[in-house]
Amino acid sequence: MGDCATVYDNARKDTSYIALASNAVRTGIVGAYNACGHELEGIGVQGSNGISIYGLHMVSTGLTLEKAKAAGYNAVETGFNDLQKPEFMKHDNYEVAIKIVFDKDSREILGAQMVSRDSAISMGIHMFSLAIQEHVTIEKLALTDLFFLPHFNKPYNYITMAALTAEK
């Protein structure tokens, strides 16, 4: 029997050791559905995770630049730092830093990391997890229709700007 933390890693397009509770839960769901006669197949993982320390919220999914290069990708990263909301929104408007790792050849997103004092950034990592799973390119991300309202974010937010300024 194999190691239960070895899963199909969509970013690497191969199996990888990713010991996260979320992977165990999804594996259990797949097993339970199949045991009850409802065919369900796992679709792989991206290794999404996060941590909060002293009010600083850090989230990531997929590969870092170093891990992507070690996996054989011609990986580069793009980044951007900005406020979460427009400058005129004074209440709870925190800076966000983002890095997006992508393959320079295929242009596919391989990973993302974000950090802020605003815990709402955690929702953005879900989008990046799906982007990795579905092989979205950095150019497609740049023009994705992202929701905008000044109470939540900017029309040209840190995700859009990081993608638009990505190396060609």
Side-chain angles (χ1 to χ4, degrees):
M1 184 166 193
D3 187 324
C4 64
T6 300
V7 292
Y8 186 78
D9 182 338
N10 288 315
R12 291 182 188 270
K13 298 180 178 136
D14 199 359
T15 57
S16 187
Y17 180 81
I18 305 175
L20 292 171
S22 54
N23 297 343
V25 169
R26 273 190 301 281
T27 301
I29 290 170
V30 170
Y33 267 73
N34 284 294
C36 293
H38 301 283
E39 190 172 319
L40 185 63
E41 186 174 329
I43 55 175
V45 303
Q46 289 67 247
S48 303
N49 63 76
I51 190 168
S52 293
I53 301 173
Y54 302 114
L56 196 59
H57 309 287
M58 298 166 268
V59 294
S60 69
T61 192
L63 303 174
T64 63
L65 180 61
E66 295 76 19
K67 287 184 179 181
K69 287 181 177 183
Y73 288 103
N74 182 16
V76 292
E77 68 182 10
T78 183
F80 204 79
N81 291 31
D82 202 359
L83 291 174
Q84 173 72 21
K85 303 171 191 172
E87 286 72 5
F88 64 84
M89 300 297 291
K90 301 294 183 192
H91 184 67
D92 293 333
N93 194 6
Y94 301 103
E95 186 173 352
V96 179
I98 185 171
K99 286 184 181 180
I100 306 170
V101 179
F102 64 99
D103 182 71
K104 194 170 179 182
D105 300 328
S106 71
R107 313 296 289 167
E108 288 181 12
I109 295 168
L110 302 172
Q113 302 94 46
M114 295 187 287
V115 61
S116 180
R117 295 209 173 273
D118 185 350
S119 64
I121 64 158
S122 67
M123 295 309 292
I125 215 64
H126 300 305
M127 180 199 62
F128 281 104
S129 179
L130 183 62
I132 295 165
Q133 176 184 298
E134 297 301 315
H135 312 288
V136 173
T137 64
I138 194 75
E139 286 79 14
K140 196 168 204 175
L141 175 67
L143 298 176
T144 295
D145 181 18
L146 299 177
F147 163 80
F148 161 68
L149 189 65
H151 294 86
F152 297 95
N153 61 0
K154 291 182 168 191
Y156 294 102
N157 62 62
Y158 53 91
I159 294 171
T160 301
M161 294 307 296
L164 283 172
T165 58
E167 182 178 335
K168 298 294 176 206

